[in-house]
């Protein structure tokens, strides 16, 4: 499995590609940051993010794209920029038919460090250890992108089993116990009322 992790942002959009399967050593194929100037027009910055992500997709051809799920922040301006960059990443992947997975920061931290409240330094240290790197990737956005990719590789098998179980449950719910579809409104054969039963023959007593 090859996953492109994207830590969305307008000024710095972290990107990292990790390859491997759950339960085995993972390999980092590339890591970096797509940057845009803070004084540029918003439209130009979004185009720059798109072009940067497209270049990574062209170079590494990932099978999946993992993007950090945007969550509410006190700084509305920051969360808006993050949401816009996140949408660009999802658009680029969808245009190529690449499945996109969204993971919250706490999910990523828990998957990589074992704690959903881990600090960025802890995430960077674990990413360095898991990918057998010489030093933590910098800036932190790059390390976060790799952490997203690692998280998806580890969580994907469980998510797939859950989705299959849900699909199977829905399919079985649409059929009867015998496997044949239920007919809405259908009921068991009606009972024969007492009025329609065959009349009894009364034998009179002999005189």
């Amino acid at each position: 499995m090859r996953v492109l992790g994207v830590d969305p942002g307008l000024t710095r959009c972290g990107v990292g590609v990790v390859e491997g399967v759950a339960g085995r050593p993972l390999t980092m194929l590339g890591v970096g940051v797509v940057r845009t100037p803070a004084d540029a027009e918003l439209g130009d910055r979004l185009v720059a993010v798109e072009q940067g992500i497209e270049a990574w997709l062209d170079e590494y051809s990932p099978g999946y794209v993992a993007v950090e799920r945007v969550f509410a922040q006190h700084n509305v301006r920051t969360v808006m920029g993050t949401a816009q960059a996140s949408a660009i990443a999802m658009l680029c992947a969808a245009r190529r038919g690449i499945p996109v997975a969204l993971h919250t920061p706490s999910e990523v931290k828990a998957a990589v460090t074992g704690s959903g409240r881990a600090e960025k330094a802890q995430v960077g240290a674990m990413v360095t250890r898991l990918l057998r790197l010489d030093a933590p990737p910098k800036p932190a956005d790059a390390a976060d992108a790799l952490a997203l990719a690692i998280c998806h590789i580890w969580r994907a098998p469980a998510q797939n089993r859950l989705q299959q179980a849900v699909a199977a449950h829905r399919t079985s719910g649409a059929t009867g116990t015998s496997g044949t579809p239920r007919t809405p409104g259908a009921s068991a054969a009606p009972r024969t009322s007492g009025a329609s039963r065959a009349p009894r023959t009364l034998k009179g007593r002999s005189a």
Side-chain angles (χ1 to χ4, degrees):
M1 178 183 294
R2 180 176 295 186
V3 181
L4 170 66
V6 179
D7 182 45
L10 276 181
T11 303
R12 295 186 307 273
C13 182
V15 284
V17 182
V18 178
E19 188 172 59
V21 295
R24 295 185 180 181
L26 305 176
T27 302
M28 183 195 76
L29 301 183
V31 65
V33 174
V34 176
R35 300 177 183 271
T36 68
D39 58 350
E41 293 292 332
L42 175 60
D44 295 334
R45 299 181 74 183
L46 293 176
V47 169
V49 171
E50 179 192 23
Q51 292 174 341
I53 293 176
E54 288 286 356
W56 279 79
L57 293 174
D58 285 338
E59 182 173 357
Y60 293 99
S61 301
Y64 301 87
V65 173
V67 183
E68 182 180 288
R69 184 185 296 275
V70 179
F71 63 99
Q73 292 179 341
H74 296 296
N75 191 331
V76 177
R77 183 176 180 180
T78 299
V79 74
M80 285 296 294
T82 302
Q84 290 163 342
S86 175
I88 292 296
M90 290 187 283
L91 171 65
C92 292
R95 192 157 50 200
R96 296 173 180 240
I98 303 174
V100 177
L102 300 177
H103 300 287
T104 65
S106 59
E107 287 176 345
V108 176
K109 292 176 182 178
V112 175
T113 70
S115 171
R117 298 182 178 181
E119 300 292 335
K120 281 188 175 293
Q122 293 176 278
V123 174
M126 284 304 299
V127 166
T128 302
R129 178 181 176 183
L130 292 170
L131 298 178
R132 304 176 304 283
L133 306 177
D134 295 331
K138 294 184 178 180
D141 310 85
D144 289 345
L146 291 174
L148 275 157
I150 294 171
C151 173
H152 185 69
I153 291 174
W154 284 354
R155 291 174 63 92
Q159 289 178 337
N160 290 340
R161 287 194 295 270
L162 178 61
Q163 291 173 353
Q164 291 171 359
V166 172
H169 177 71
R170 289 175 178 173
T171 301
S172 62
T175 60
T177 56
S178 62
T180 57
R182 294 177 178 174
T183 303
S187 59
R191 294 181 177 179
T192 304
S193 63
S196 60
R197 292 176 182 173
R200 294 179 179 178
T201 302
L202 299 178
K203 297 182 179 180
R205 295 180 179 179
S206 57

